[in-house]
Amino acid sequence: MRFRGPDNNNAQKLEIVRTQPTFGLKFASVIMLVCATGVAWGAETICVPDLITRPAPVEPGPDGPAIELEGDEVESIGEDTITLRGNATMRRGARAMEGDVLTYHRKTGELEGEDELTLYTEQGDRIEASYLKMHVETRIGEADDVKYRIAHRDREHEDPTKTYVRARGAAKKAYMEGHDVTRLENATYTTCSKGDDSVMLFADEITLDQGTGRGLAKNLKIEFKDVPIFYFPRVSFPISDERKTGFLFPSFGAQEGSGFVMSTPYYWNLAPNYDFTLYPRLYTRRGVQAGGEFRYLTENSEGSLYGEYLPSDSEFNDEDRSALHLKHEQEFTDRIGGSIDAQHVSDDAYLDDFSNDIEISSATNLPQEAALNYNGDVWDVESIFLAHQTIDDTILDANEPYDTLPQVSADAERELTPYNLNLEFESQIVNFIHDELDDGWRLDATPSLGKNFESVWGYIEPKLSVRHTSYFLDRNGAGDDSPSRTLPVFSVDSGIFLERKTSWLGEPVIHTLEPRLFYAFIPEDNQDDFPNFDTGAVDLDNFGNMFREFRFFGADRVGDTNQITASLESRVLESETGDQWMSGRVGMIFFLEDREVNLNPNEVFDENTSDFLAEFDARLTDRWETEAFLQWDTEGTDVKEARFALRYEQEGRRYVDLSYDFSQNNKEQLRAESTWRILPRWHLLLEERYSIREDENLETSVGLEYDGCCWRVRGFFQRRGESDETFRNAIIFELELTGLASIRAGTSGLPGIQAGGQ
């Protein structure tokens, strides 16, 4: 029997509708849902999420939201009380209550139930209880012997009557204090799926506030595999994906040179757009370090400030040690912006002592940069102030990089429509500052005019430029304080596109053949008296450098040249999508004259050809990719540069990266990186960097991870080579409690300091 009427305490009329019990149909639907869900998720992941299936919502009546009452037996006591027995159900909108016996009091708007009750909230939560009394409108009430499942607020199911479970638990007593707040006594809480109690929270009292997305617990004990691992007299924890203020889980472990390491971070969610994290750390061999990171985001800016301070380091002559990193990006208008990226450490050994990342620990210079830029329709202007902190004591003062205070660039580009000409202008003025070497100002400007003749079969693009450079120097010795030069630059770039339709491994493809010729001419001008602030020779370690007009990076030298670059590229493209399956390129430079201008005075390059370059990349299958590069010295008939990489990847967190990197001058290394699921829940983690030339491991990291769905545990061993041919070892253990936090032992690098000036 179903009762339907307006949700109004003064309503005098109830509509009685006779219906048949629907238990069998609901049970069959649940069984079908479980089976369908198991199949769908089983193909994607081993972690099958729990689901809550709730009754269909009641549509509002003509007089507003209505209450619908249903039961096998109905007893009405006067005009106030209605008692339902047998498959009793109350529904109001998306909220519902089911049980053996339900009593509804129309005057007070309260609903009581006993014997195997189930309450469904508007958000999809499910609460089971032996007794429950609740005001229907305000959701204020209490319940005994509660089992609850909380719906995931940030993840929707395609079926509106189903929700994913974020957490579950039980309580001796529950107090519902409105639509968002539930207070539990003698309670448990877990994010593990039903039947898995690997991670369980026990507390005298837990308050779950869905409005703030946080839980507050008193006398909280956390058990992992029935073993207590933490106790908190009072602690908050997240019950949503939003950021929350409170203590993060402590981290602890050991690091060679620092001893036992322990940290108890505290996170402040100061506002939706900025926060602060405090990182107090104890190093048993060094002392107590304080670290902190402040992050912010506004409508027109974003950035972070990270700092560390360790007073009286016992392993560093009792000296105070510190690190600082400031990052800021600012948008003043739609066209004007700025940025700051400044790093500083107290001593040269700081990164080596506190970082396990070889990319960071091997840094030689830390940049300190501020920039201001303007982007217009025609002009782009940028001003950069750049200084460095050199942190490698083996670098002589004379070899430290110049500071540029400032470096101002102004570039313009415009198309002359009536003539289809491209007019470009590039300019830069820099003030170079150095304590040991000649310094001063340098002005460099290059206007150019080009035209692109393009068609479906190819293109020809001639270009004429004039490059002028002037100096205003403060020399330590003899020499011209104001040298200058002006040189014409002429180039022609051209290419042809040829293609044919064919098949590859039984699939229709497009095969292309793309020859390219590039000519460049710059006359010789003696520049031996010019300083060298920031200029270096262009290495042919990538294919793009073959098609440059200038043989040097930087403006202190403009190399004379009369050259032709010839290359041939062939590609295999998928016919329907145009996706590239394979590409190969070869090329070299043919010099028509000797090169007189070089970094070293009186040095002349008289080779007729450059090194031979070859490049290849391919998507062999959906899982295999490879790429290779070769730089061959045609004069000495040996290899200058060589790179090869192979990657295999498949679903389920399985990939392998293998690479070989050879440079004739300084390195020959092998690198391997892999994450591989060796069993449904087990992953092997590997990273290895090996120097063939030194016959030693530069960096090794081996780990094993187990995925328990609501928790993960990882163990790593890290070994890093030091500059004094010794090694630094670290062992890292990490326990991650899904939906709560992570417990990490050891350190993997500084979050605020980055490598610079390698």
Side-chain angles (χ1 to χ4, degrees):
M1 204 174 275
R2 179 183 302 164
F3 291 78
R4 180 182 175 91
D7 186 13
N8 188 324
N9 292 336
N10 297 318
Q12 301 297 319
K13 181 179 179 181
L14 290 174
E15 178 184 359
I16 302 177
V17 182
R18 296 187 180 273
T19 63
Q20 295 297 324
T22 57
F23 174 79
L25 179 60
K26 292 179 181 178
F27 181 78
S29 299
V30 171
I31 296 298
M32 292 176 64
L33 169 68
V34 172
C35 294
T37 304
V39 172
W41 279 84
E44 298 178 4
T45 177
I46 58 173
C47 300
V48 180
D50 287 339
L51 287 176
I52 300 172
T53 302
R54 55 184 175 180
V58 177
E59 298 295 332
D63 298 323
I67 294 178
E68 186 176 278
L69 302 175
E70 177 184 343
D72 295 341
E73 297 181 10
V74 178
E75 180 183 358
S76 179
I77 304 174
E79 297 182 354
D80 176 57
T81 303
I82 299 174
T83 300
L84 310 175
R85 294 184 175 86
N87 298 316
T89 301
M90 183 284 297
R91 292 192 294 170
R92 180 185 183 274
R95 194 187 319 163
M97 182 185 292
E98 299 173 348
D100 288 340
V101 179
L102 295 180
T103 301
Y104 178 61
H105 303 278
R106 296 181 62 236
K107 288 185 178 180
T108 62
E110 290 183 334
L111 187 69
E112 282 187 86
E114 55 186 80
D115 299 333
E116 299 182 4
L117 294 168
T118 303
L119 172 66
Y120 299 92
T121 69
E122 294 92 332
Q123 295 79 15
D125 302 335
R126 176 187 169 109
I127 300 174
E128 300 176 19
S130 61
Y131 170 80
L132 186 146
K133 182 179 182 181
M134 181 186 70
H135 190 276
V136 175
E137 179 66 26
T138 62
R139 195 183 171 271
I140 295 177
E142 61 184 53
D144 296 337
D145 301 321
V146 170
K147 295 180 181 179
Y148 64 89
R149 284 190 280 174
I150 299 175
H152 206 302
R153 266 61 170 176
D154 304 311
R155 182 181 179 188
E156 294 184 358
H157 195 280
E158 58 184 10
D159 186 342
T161 65
K162 300 176 178 63
T163 56
Y164 293 107
V165 176
R166 182 182 183 91
R168 61 180 179 86
K172 187 67 176 176
K173 190 83 173 179
Y175 298 92
M176 288 153 286
E177 301 174 348
H179 292 282
D180 292 329
V181 180
T182 302
R183 182 164 53 89
L184 309 170
E185 292 183 351
N186 296 322
T188 63
Y189 179 94
T190 182
T191 58
C192 299
S193 298
K194 185 177 180 180
D196 181 5
D197 296 336
S198 300
V199 179
M200 188 65 68
L201 280 64
F202 299 86
D204 292 346
E205 182 179 286
I206 296 178
T207 301
L208 304 176
D209 190 338
Q210 299 295 343
T212 62
R214 66 183 296 178
L216 179 64
K218 296 179 180 179
N219 293 324
L220 175 69
K221 177 180 67 174
I222 301 177
E223 289 190 359
F224 176 66
K225 293 293 185 179
D226 298 326
V227 177
I229 58 174
F230 285 108
Y231 170 79
F232 300 95
R234 183 183 176 90
V235 69
S236 65
F237 56 93
I239 59 175
S240 72
D241 293 336
E242 296 181 3
R243 297 174 287 124
K244 303 294 179 295
T245 295
F247 279 102
L248 305 179
F249 274 106
S251 64
F252 53 89
Q255 184 183 44
E256 190 170 331
S258 297
F260 180 79
V261 184
M262 182 175 180
S263 176
T264 307
Y266 189 86
Y267 174 81
W268 277 279
N269 185 28
L270 302 174
N273 60 326
Y274 55 92
D275 57 22
F276 178 76
T277 306
L278 178 67
Y279 298 96
R281 297 188 187 94
L282 170 65
Y283 296 92
T284 56
R285 295 180 58 178
R286 296 185 182 275
V288 178
Q289 180 190 67
E293 182 180 26
F294 176 72
R295 303 185 304 174
Y296 56 92
L297 174 67
T298 70
E299 183 178 355
N300 299 314
S301 67
E302 63 176 302
S304 63
L305 175 62
Y306 180 84
E308 295 176 342
Y309 178 71
L310 175 63
S312 304
D313 188 345
S314 303
E315 294 290 309
F316 201 73
N317 299 322
D318 289 329
E319 295 182 15
D320 296 346
R321 310 185 74 184
S322 60
L324 186 68
H325 188 188
L326 171 64
K327 295 187 70 175
H328 177 79
E329 294 184 5
Q330 180 75 45
E331 183 179 297
F332 298 105
T333 69
D334 292 341
R335 296 183 179 273
I336 301 175
S339 64
I340 298 175
D341 190 347
Q343 306 178 51
H344 179 81
V345 294
S346 58
D347 54 84
D348 294 349
Y350 193 93
L351 298 183
D352 195 49
D353 286 343
F354 293 100
S355 174
N356 287 330
D357 191 329
I358 193 171
E359 296 291 342
I360 296 177
S361 62
S362 60
T364 58
N365 296 286
L366 295 180
Q368 299 160 358
E369 177 181 303
L372 184 67
N373 56 75
Y374 166 82
N375 296 314
D377 294 332
V378 177
W379 286 92
D380 292 334
V381 181
E382 183 177 41
S383 180
I384 298 176
F385 296 81
L386 177 62
H388 302 82
Q389 180 191 5
T390 300
I391 55 174
D392 187 343
D393 54 12
T394 64
I395 297 178
L396 300 177
D397 292 343
N399 293 332
E400 293 182 4
Y402 279 87
D403 294 337
T404 55
L405 304 170
Q407 171 183 306
V408 182
S409 302
D411 302 332
E413 183 176 357
R414 187 170 184 178
E415 183 177 351
L416 303 179
T417 307
Y419 309 101
N420 195 24
L421 297 174
N422 298 319
L423 179 63
E424 298 180 1
F425 181 80
E426 298 179 359
S427 65
Q428 185 183 84
I429 183 168
V430 189
N431 180 27
F432 292 94
I433 299 176
H434 202 286
D435 293 335
E436 301 291 332
L437 304 176
D438 295 346
D439 51 20
W441 291 81
R442 183 187 70 196
L443 170 66
D444 185 59
T446 308
S448 62
L449 185 65
K451 184 175 179 62
N452 188 5
F453 301 92
E454 188 174 13
S455 70
V456 294
W457 54 264
Y459 68 94
I460 299 177
E461 186 176 351
K463 182 178 179 182
L464 179 63
S465 309
V466 177
R467 186 166 190 178
H468 173 80
T469 309
S470 297
Y471 293 88
F472 309 94
L473 303 175
D474 181 12
R475 290 189 181 270
N476 295 327
D480 187 359
D481 291 339
S482 304
S484 65
R485 64 156 186 267
T486 303
L487 291 170
V489 180
F490 177 70
S491 66
V492 180
D493 194 5
S494 62
I496 298 177
F497 306 127
L498 304 173
E499 65 178 44
R500 67 188 180 104
K501 294 183 178 180
T502 183
S503 62
W504 177 268
L505 300 177
E507 297 291 334
V509 298
I510 298 175
H511 180 211
T512 73
L513 196 63
E514 303 170 36
R516 181 181 179 184
L517 288 177
F518 176 80
Y519 173 76
F521 173 79
I522 302 175
E524 184 267 337
D525 184 60
N526 190 294
Q527 302 159 50
D528 292 346
D529 194 38
F530 285 25
N532 186 0
F533 292 139
D534 62 354
T535 298
V538 173
D539 293 326
L540 296 181
D541 55 359
N542 69 79
F543 222 83
N545 286 346
M546 297 181 64
F547 301 95
R548 290 175 49 90
E549 299 163 320
F550 302 106
R551 295 191 290 114
F552 300 99
F553 288 114
D556 298 315
R557 297 291 185 275
V558 175
D560 58 316
T561 192
N562 188 7
Q563 66 183 50
I564 297 175
T565 302
S567 72
L568 181 64
E569 180 176 8
S570 181
R571 295 183 294 159
V572 177
L573 310 175
E574 189 174 347
S575 294
E576 294 184 0
T577 64
D579 292 342
Q580 181 172 291
W581 283 6
M582 188 177 302
S583 173
R585 295 192 291 181
V586 294
M588 64 188 308
I589 303 174
F590 298 89
F591 298 105
L592 307 180
E593 296 180 4
D594 296 343
R595 279 80 66 211
E596 304 283 346
V597 178
N598 293 290
L599 294 176
N600 297 323
N602 303 320
E603 184 178 21
V604 176
F605 291 155
D606 57 2
E607 297 88 354
N608 295 325
T609 61
S610 71
D611 298 333
F612 174 81
L613 302 188
E615 195 173 63
F616 175 80
D617 62 82
R619 179 165 58 92
L620 304 176
T621 68
D622 292 338
R623 297 180 176 181
W624 287 93
E625 294 180 1
T626 185
E627 61 181 39
F629 174 82
L630 175 69
Q631 179 182 354
W632 178 267
D633 182 359
T634 56
E635 296 288 334
T637 63
D638 54 7
V639 176
K640 279 190 176 180
E641 296 273 349
R643 296 188 296 272
F644 175 78
L646 182 66
R647 180 179 178 86
Y648 175 85
E649 183 174 11
Q650 69 180 58
E651 294 180 358
R653 295 184 63 197
R654 292 180 177 176
Y655 77 89
V656 177
D657 279 337
L658 302 174
S659 63
Y660 170 80
D661 193 355
F662 170 83
S663 176
Q664 188 181 51
N665 295 327
N666 53 23
K667 68 178 177 180
E668 185 175 10
Q669 295 180 5
L670 293 172
R671 185 176 181 272
E673 182 179 353
S674 176
T675 295
W676 196 263
R677 190 171 70 180
I678 53 180
L679 290 172
R681 294 181 181 270
W682 287 92
H683 291 81
L684 178 66
L685 313 173
L686 171 67
E687 185 173 0
E688 172 76 16
R689 186 179 300 184
Y690 176 77
S691 173
I692 298 176
R693 191 162 295 178
E694 282 80 22
D695 190 22
E696 65 179 14
N697 292 343
L698 301 178
E699 186 177 21
T700 300
S701 179
V702 180
L704 197 62
E705 176 186 277
Y706 179 84
D707 185 357
C709 295
C710 62
W711 59 276
R712 293 187 185 92
V713 62
R714 306 178 186 93
F716 296 91
F717 169 76
Q718 290 184 345
R719 179 180 176 91
R720 173 172 62 85
E722 302 280 75
S723 57
D724 58 358
E725 298 184 357
T726 61
F727 292 90
R728 171 168 296 183
N729 299 321
I731 296 178
I732 298 175
F733 292 100
E734 182 174 308
L735 174 63
E736 180 181 341
L737 307 181
T738 304
L740 296 175
S742 63
I743 306 168
R744 183 163 186 157
T747 57
S748 61
L750 305 176
I753 300 297
Q754 301 174 356
Q758 295 292 328

